């Protein structure tokens, strides 16, 4: 029996028998196609990895012209039934049960235009017109048709969200729903459309087919209803006698405070939604599924034991490691490739309209290919640099049977990820390095520390191929896309880069300017780190706010809220000159110049030139040489680690 007996005991959702309490929460892995090997393989890997229950995310219940084609399964479209069937069959093969999530994104089924309709005109990025009563009835019917399609495809159930940024939340929310007909007003009226959807589905499907509802039980972040309203909604759902599970989240308890129902970031603790779930559980007998940033079986098991939920939902832990459930069950915790909660490879990609992946797991979408193919001809591969790009490349190259030697000039592996992990709140990042090292040790890969790769030292090893993964280092000139000529005075000895401050133990004075022109989390992170060491920090940026590149995630607000009280914040400001004693700055809008006096040190968080000299030196040597990670293309903002790891994988597969 598993050490985590609660988590790995069976449970019933309606008539469905689920083998354990791990519920793979719906997550739209856009970019894998519809019913393709990539999409099916994604689900199969996670079913094989041990999830008891799974949900196929965001299947549309009406045509949604605003959604890019091919992003989500069209549950309304009978032509998509075979795609659902392929996924369902793959999940069933490994003993998992699987439901379709039907989602209405407020698209208007009557028009082919990318326009929306809403229960009542809502305050969002736009304000679509209010629905007629006939349109509400049409929408109810659309959910029933979608559920029937799911059943025809062999799915075990149908889940739909009624809050948390989904369209139906504009019915349930007293904040959004201002209708005066039978679908607006009292709680019963606001829930009427939802109850009618449940009834319509139940009339169509067999009694064995389960119905689940995702309820955001605390919408208070935006000033809307809190947990009492959420609990009352759940009681109404239970009273129908037709609902088989409630999946509970609580947007109001998350720190990001965006309009949308985002997963919580690394800044949140395990079990983000469990307080709301516990409140719901006290009021209903239905199985309650909940979680949020669940990372460890000990926590999950205890949450179930404490009666805070009956099943735990996990999205990102199984994105990062498809085997997460089985590794938890077997207590093989050191084997888990942990989610670092950065939200970049997954959620942020989709915000930018890009294919979704995972920062730490470069194998997303390739699961269907199985284990990596052995190389046709094993070679001796030297990898220069043991950052994430070099380490991932070493892993895949060794898995393919190549003899791998990694040269690292510093006294530790990890490259800039080690630096990331030193910043406040980012210690989880170190797991990237820990996990890769564990794999390399198992494969017997030789890693030589304190060994600089030069054209001569590499040639002396007589390798068949070299991967240059030497990374990038922050500019010493202060040049950035906003200030191409650099910062006057950057050459002074009291001006430092992040590497010098964090890794090379530069001696800093008491009063420090941190100049950030990367719009990312690094500048604020370093400012907070220095403030925590008792330094007086002035944070200067040409941007109007902090960490603008993570605005889509709402993380900019959390970071600003955390860092601004600890520093003096000068937005929309450029450094004109650093002198031995002070820093002259100018407001980029008014042109007004001021002097920050008695500044002991300045830290430049600006551009990051690739460390590419080794690559160029080796090019004419006759050795097969390739360049990867930041050394190939340095990124100082989002997706940097993600790209470095993917690059390492790609390069090693091409050897
Ligand atoms: C403070 C900070 C926070 C960050 N936060 C994030 C984040 O939140 N998300 C994100 O995606 N990215 C972030 N990044 C960026 C990310 O860490 C890098 O983009 C990523 O580490 C690049 O990986 P890499 O393997 O290409 O290079 P690096 O990580 O730079 O590794 C290169 C390695 O090569 C070694 N090396 C260099 N020259 C030689 C040589 N000649 N011989 C042998 N070894 C050599 C170096 O010592 C180093 O260990 C952050 C960076 C910093 C500094
Ligand atoms: C990339 C991504 C896509 C998601 N898409 C959906 C979705 O389509 N429907 C949904 O209800 N939740 C979606 N979610 C939210 C998850 O179901 C889950 O509630 C959230 O990620 C918190 O769980 P976690 O901390 O275990 O990741 C998504 C999450 C991620 C990371
Ligand atoms: S991209 Fe980041 S947050 Fe998303 S699953 Fe991967 S590690 Fe976790």
């Amino acid at each position: 029996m598993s050490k985590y007996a609660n988590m790995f005991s069976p449970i019933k959702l309606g008539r469905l028998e689920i083998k354990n309490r791990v519920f793979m929460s719906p997550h739209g892995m856009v970019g894998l196609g519809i019913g393709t090997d990539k999409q099916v393989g994604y689900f199969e890997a996670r079913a094989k990895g041990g999830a008891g229950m799974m949900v196929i995310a965001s299947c549309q219940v009406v045509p949604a012209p605003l959604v890019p084609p091919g992003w989500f399964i069209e549950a309304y479209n009978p032509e998509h039934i075979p795609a659902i069937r392929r996924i369902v069959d793959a999940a069933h093969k490994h003993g998992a049960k699987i439901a379709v999530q039907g989602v209405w994104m407020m698209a208007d089924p009557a028009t082919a235009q990318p326009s929306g309709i809403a229960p009542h005109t809502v305050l969002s990025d736009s304000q679509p017109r209010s629905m007629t009563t006939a349109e509400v009835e049409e929408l109810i019917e659309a959910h029933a048709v979608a559920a029937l399609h799911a059943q025809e495809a062999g799915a075990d159930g149908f889940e739909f969200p009624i809050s948390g940024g989904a369209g139906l939340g504009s019915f349930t929310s007293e904040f959004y729903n201002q209708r005066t007909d039978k679908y607006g007003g009292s709680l019963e009226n606001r829930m009427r459309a939802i109850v009618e959807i449940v009834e319509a589905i139940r009339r169509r499907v067999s009694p064995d087919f389960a119905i689940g509802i995702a309820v955001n039980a605390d919408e208070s972040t935006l000033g809307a209803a809190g947990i009492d309203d959420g609990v009352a909604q759940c009681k109404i759902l239970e009273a129908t006698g037709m609902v088989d599970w409630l999946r509970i989240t609580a947007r109001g308890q998350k720190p990001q405070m965006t309009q949308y129902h985002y997963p919580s970031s690394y800044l949140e603790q395990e079990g983000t939604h469990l307080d709301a779930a516990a409140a719901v559980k006290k009021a209903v007998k239905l199985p309650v599924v909940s979680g949020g940033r669940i990372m460890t079986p000990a926590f999950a098991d205890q949450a179930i034991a404490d009666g805070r939920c009956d099943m735990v939902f996990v999205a990102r832990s199984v994105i990062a490691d498809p085997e997460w459930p089985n590794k938890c069950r077997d207590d093989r915790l050191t084997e888990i490739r942990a989610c670092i909660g950065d939200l970049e490879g997954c959620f942020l990609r989709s915000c930018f309209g890009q294919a979704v992946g995972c920062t730490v797991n470069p194998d997303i979408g390739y699961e269907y290919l199985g284990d990596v193919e052995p190389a046709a001809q094993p070679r001796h591969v030297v990898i220069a640099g043991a950052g994430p790009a070099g380490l991932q490349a070493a892993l895949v190259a060794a898995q393919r049977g190549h003899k791998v030697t990694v040269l690292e000039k510093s006294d530790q592996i990890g490259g800039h990820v080690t630096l990331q992990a030193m910043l406040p709140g980012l210690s989880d990042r170190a797991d990237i390095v820990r996990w890769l090292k564990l794999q390399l040790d198992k494969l017997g890969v030789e890693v030589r520390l304190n060994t600089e790769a030069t054209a001569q030292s590499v040639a002396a090893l007589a390798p068949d191929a070299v991967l240059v993964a030497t990374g990038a280092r922050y500019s010493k000139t202060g040049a950035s896309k906003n200030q191409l000529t650099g910062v006057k005075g950057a050459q002074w000895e009291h001006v430092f880069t992040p590497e010098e401050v964090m890794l090379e133990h530069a001696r800093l004075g008491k009063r420090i300017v941190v100049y950030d022109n990367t719009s990312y989390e690094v500048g604020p992170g370093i400012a907070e780190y220095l403030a925590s060491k008792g330094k007086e920090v002035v944070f200067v940026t040409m941007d109007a706010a902090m960490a603008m590149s993570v605005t889509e995630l709402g993380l900019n607000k959390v970071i600003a809220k955390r860092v601004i009280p600890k520093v003096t914040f000068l937005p929309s400001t450029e450094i004109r000159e650093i002198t031995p004693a002070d820093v002259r700055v100018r407001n980029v809008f008014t042109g007004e110049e001021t002097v920050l006096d008695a500044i002991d040190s300045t830290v430049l968080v600006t551009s990051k030139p690739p460390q590419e000299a080794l690559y160029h030196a080796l090019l004419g040597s006759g050795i097969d040489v390739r360049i990867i990670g930041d050394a190939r293309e340095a990124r100082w903002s989002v997706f940097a680690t993600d790209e470095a790891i993917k690059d390492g994988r790609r390069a090693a597969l091409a050897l």
Side-chain angles (χ1 to χ4, degrees):
M1 197 174 80
S2 170
K3 179 173 165 191
Y4 306 105
N6 297 295
M7 198 176 162
F8 291 96
S9 62
I11 184 171
K12 279 184 97 172
L13 300 180
R15 300 190 187 184
L16 266 190
E17 293 261 9
I18 316 288
K19 67 180 175 186
N20 61 36
R21 310 291 182 102
V22 182
F23 186 110
M24 185 176 106
S25 203
H27 49 276
M29 296 304 285
V30 300
L32 300 180
I34 303 294
T36 57
D37 288 348
K38 284 187 163 199
Q39 191 184 36
V40 174
Y42 181 83
F43 280 90
E44 178 156 8
R46 282 144 185 94
K48 195 172 167 204
M53 176 73 181
M54 312 175 92
V55 181
I56 310 172
S58 284
C59 303
Q60 304 297 302
V61 298
V62 299
L66 276 177
V67 175
W71 265 33
F72 298 122
I73 287 174
E74 297 163 3
Y76 62 86
N77 180 358
E79 288 178 13
H80 279 206
I81 292 176
I84 304 175
R85 187 174 294 123
R86 279 199 76 196
I87 297 170
V88 167
D89 289 348
H92 284 169
K93 219 189 315 173
H94 300 281
K97 298 286 194 273
I98 186 158
V100 164
Q101 182 183 51
V103 168
W104 174 56
M105 292 183 172
M106 296 203 292
D108 179 349
T111 66
Q113 294 158 6
S115 65
I117 51 173
H120 187 79
T121 183
V122 291
L123 294 169
S124 183
D125 292 339
S126 63
Q127 285 190 253
R129 70 169 172 82
S130 309
M131 297 167 86
T132 64
T133 306
E135 283 171 335
V136 176
E137 286 160 3
E138 237 178 86
L139 183 65
I140 291 165
E141 173 64 10
H143 278 80
V145 170
L148 194 60
H149 288 163
Q151 181 177 268
E152 278 176 47
D156 302 293
F158 186 81
E159 182 194 274
F160 63 96
I162 64 166
S163 37
L168 292 177
S170 330
F171 280 101
T172 57
S173 160
E174 61 182 345
F175 186 60
Y176 288 129
N177 186 341
Q178 303 293 322
R179 293 178 74 93
T180 51
D181 67 357
K182 62 179 178 173
Y183 294 114
S186 66
L187 174 68
E188 281 65 32
N189 281 1
R190 284 187 277 123
M191 289 296 287
R192 189 179 307 282
I194 313 300
V195 170
E196 289 181 4
I197 290 173
V198 173
E199 290 166 349
I201 295 174
R202 222 356 120 217
R203 271 198 301 276
R204 297 283 191 98
V205 298
S206 75
D208 292 341
F209 188 79
I211 300 176
I213 303 194
V215 184
N216 201 56
D218 183 348
E219 296 260 46
S220 55
T221 309
L222 298 173
I227 188 68
D228 293 346
D229 202 64
V231 168
Q233 290 178 21
C234 291
K235 283 174 149 173
I236 290 175
L237 294 172
E238 180 169 63
T240 64
M242 299 176 191
V243 173
D244 299 308
W245 76 85
L246 296 169
R247 191 165 61 82
I248 303 298
T249 52
R251 183 165 50 160
Q253 293 171 8
K254 279 189 279 175
Q256 277 119 309
M257 296 200 295
T258 58
Q259 179 179 343
Y260 301 104
H261 184 197
Y262 282 155
S264 39
S265 72
Y266 58 88
L267 296 163
E268 194 46 276
Q269 301 297 308
E270 268 191 294
T272 328
H273 307 288
L274 286 177
D275 288 346
V280 170
K281 245 191 91 62
K282 280 199 190 112
V284 301
K285 294 198 172 53
L286 281 176
V288 167
V289 184
S290 192
R293 190 105 189 88
I294 295 290
M295 304 276 291
T296 60
F299 185 91
D301 198 73
Q302 195 61 47
I304 298 168
D306 292 345
R308 300 176 80 196
C309 63
D310 299 292
M311 286 185 92
V312 284
F313 72 68
V314 277
R316 287 167 300 160
S317 281
V318 294
I319 297 177
D321 190 337
E323 290 278 327
W324 186 85
N326 283 345
K327 289 176 183 173
C328 291
R329 181 196 61 199
D330 303 340
D331 206 21
R332 288 185 286 128
L333 306 190
T334 53
E335 279 294 336
I336 292 173
R337 191 171 205 177
C339 162
I340 56 169
D342 64 331
L343 288 172
E344 289 185 19
C346 57
F347 224 96
L348 196 59
R349 289 280 189 190
S350 67
C351 297
F352 287 2
Q354 299 173 5
V356 167
C358 171
T359 301
V360 303
N361 177 2
D363 299 325
I364 303 279
Y366 302 105
E367 294 89 345
Y368 74 101
L369 294 172
D371 291 340
V372 288
E373 291 272 328
Q377 181 144 30
R379 306 165 82 190
H380 180 203
V381 180
V382 166
I383 296 176
L391 293 174
Q392 179 69 38
L395 169 59
V396 176
Q399 283 171 333
R400 298 190 62 218
H402 294 300
K403 175 177 184 267
V404 180
T405 310
V406 180
L407 309 181
E408 167 55 49
K409 89 171 166 192
S410 74
D411 60 359
Q412 57 184 339
I413 64 167
H416 276 68
V417 170
T418 305
L419 215 161
Q420 286 186 45
M422 291 166 76
L423 297 181
L426 296 187
S427 57
D428 284 359
R429 307 287 162 102
D431 198 73
I432 297 178
V433 182
R434 180 203 66 81
W435 187 86
L436 283 164
K437 179 169 187 322
L438 183 72
Q439 309 311 313
L440 295 188
D441 287 349
K442 280 202 268 183
L443 289 162
V445 172
E446 186 191 0
V447 180
R448 297 187 192 167
L449 297 178
N450 301 307
T451 308
E452 179 163 3
T454 61
Q456 296 71 31
S457 67
V458 168
L461 293 170
D464 301 307
V466 180
L467 298 181
V468 176
T470 43
R473 279 181 71 97
Y474 281 93
S475 164
K476 286 286 282 179
T477 67
S480 67
K481 64 181 190 298
N482 299 332
Q483 220 172 358
L484 297 177
T485 52
V487 172
K488 199 170 167 197
Q491 79 285 354
W492 292 112
E493 280 184 353
H494 64 297
V495 181
F496 302 102
T497 64
E499 293 91 347
E500 289 167 336
V501 173
M502 310 288 296
L503 292 177
E504 291 149 20
H505 312 294
R507 286 174 66 85
L508 301 178
K510 171 82 179 154
R511 215 167 116 73
I512 302 171
V513 166
V514 173
Y515 187 42
D516 173 26
N517 273 335
T518 59
S519 315
Y520 195 43
E521 299 168 62
V522 177
I526 288 178
E528 190 179 5
Y529 169 84
L530 294 173
S532 74
K533 303 267 174 227
K535 307 291 184 188
E536 264 175 53
V537 180
V538 185
F539 185 87
V540 180
T541 174
M542 288 171 80
D543 287 337
M546 276 185 188
M548 300 277 275
S549 64
V550 285
T551 301
E552 287 280 358
L553 297 172
L555 269 178
N556 61 323
K557 291 186 198 164
V558 188
I559 290 167
K561 217 164 149 182
R562 229 167 83 157
V563 179
I564 287 175
K566 300 175 190 164
V567 304
T568 303
F569 180 39
L570 294 183
S572 308
T573 302
E574 66 178 321
I575 293 188
R576 299 294 290 158
E577 183 176 4
I578 301 168
T579 73
D582 48 34
V583 174
R584 196 156 50 83
V585 298
R586 180 173 73 170
N587 183 289
V588 294
F589 296 123
T590 63
E592 188 188 343
E593 291 206 4
T594 40
V595 173
L596 306 171
D597 52 17
I599 299 297
D600 301 311
S601 319
T602 296
V603 184
L604 297 174
V605 189
T606 53
S607 60
K608 241 171 94 177
Q611 299 297 293
E612 56 186 319
L614 178 65
Y615 173 70
H616 294 289
L618 286 170
L619 271 181
S621 67
I623 303 172
D624 175 1
V625 55
R626 303 157 196 216
I627 185 162
I628 60 174
D630 268 2
R632 184 178 66 75
E633 182 172 10
R635 291 163 193 267
W636 47 87
S637 182
V638 294
F639 309 141
T641 309
D642 180 77
E643 288 293 344
I645 291 179
K646 285 198 175 82
D647 227 14
R649 173 186 179 278
R650 262 192 307 263
L653 285 175
L655 285 169

